[in-house]
Amino acid sequence: MHPHLNRINDGDKCAEVTRLLEECHARGFMWKAIGMCNGAKHNLNKCLRAERLERTKKNREAAKEKRKEIAEKWAEIEANS
């Protein structure tokens, strides 16, 4: 499952790939049914995966920092008790 594709964002790295897939889908049902949009869909999936992995990495780093801060605060509380 991928995120909504109607995101309007100037910094969206997948905007061009999304536009290509939408153009392919606009050609009609038979065009999609015979697999003519599979390449565009595959490229979009790769782009969205790269975005997700980047977001996951940032979240993981933020969580590590937060855990470090909490551990330091607990150590301070323990030292002052």
Side-chain angles (χ1 to χ4, degrees):
M1 172 88 25
H2 55 72
H4 292 290
L5 300 180
N6 60 356
R7 299 178 293 170
I8 299 173
N9 186 357
D10 295 332
D12 189 8
K13 297 175 185 173
C14 299
E16 179 65 20
V17 182
T18 302
R19 186 187 60 75
L20 291 174
L21 180 64
E22 288 174 351
E23 285 179 5
C24 185
H25 284 180
R27 291 185 175 192
F29 172 76
M30 285 306 293
W31 193 259
K32 292 188 292 186
I34 60 175
M36 299 303 288
C37 298
N38 288 351
K41 186 174 188 302
H42 179 71
N43 291 338
L44 178 61
N45 286 341
K46 285 187 353 184
C47 185
L48 292 173
R49 176 176 167 74
E51 275 188 352
R52 182 181 55 81
L53 291 176
E54 182 179 322
R55 194 172 53 249
T56 301
K57 183 179 177 182
K58 288 179 184 176
N59 288 342
R60 186 176 299 119
E61 293 300 320
K64 284 181 184 178
E65 289 296 321
K66 186 70 172 175
R67 282 193 303 270
K68 182 180 175 184
E69 290 175 17
I70 291 171
E72 289 172 355
K73 288 179 183 179
W74 275 110
E76 182 182 329
I77 289 170
E78 291 293 325
N80 293 334
S81 296

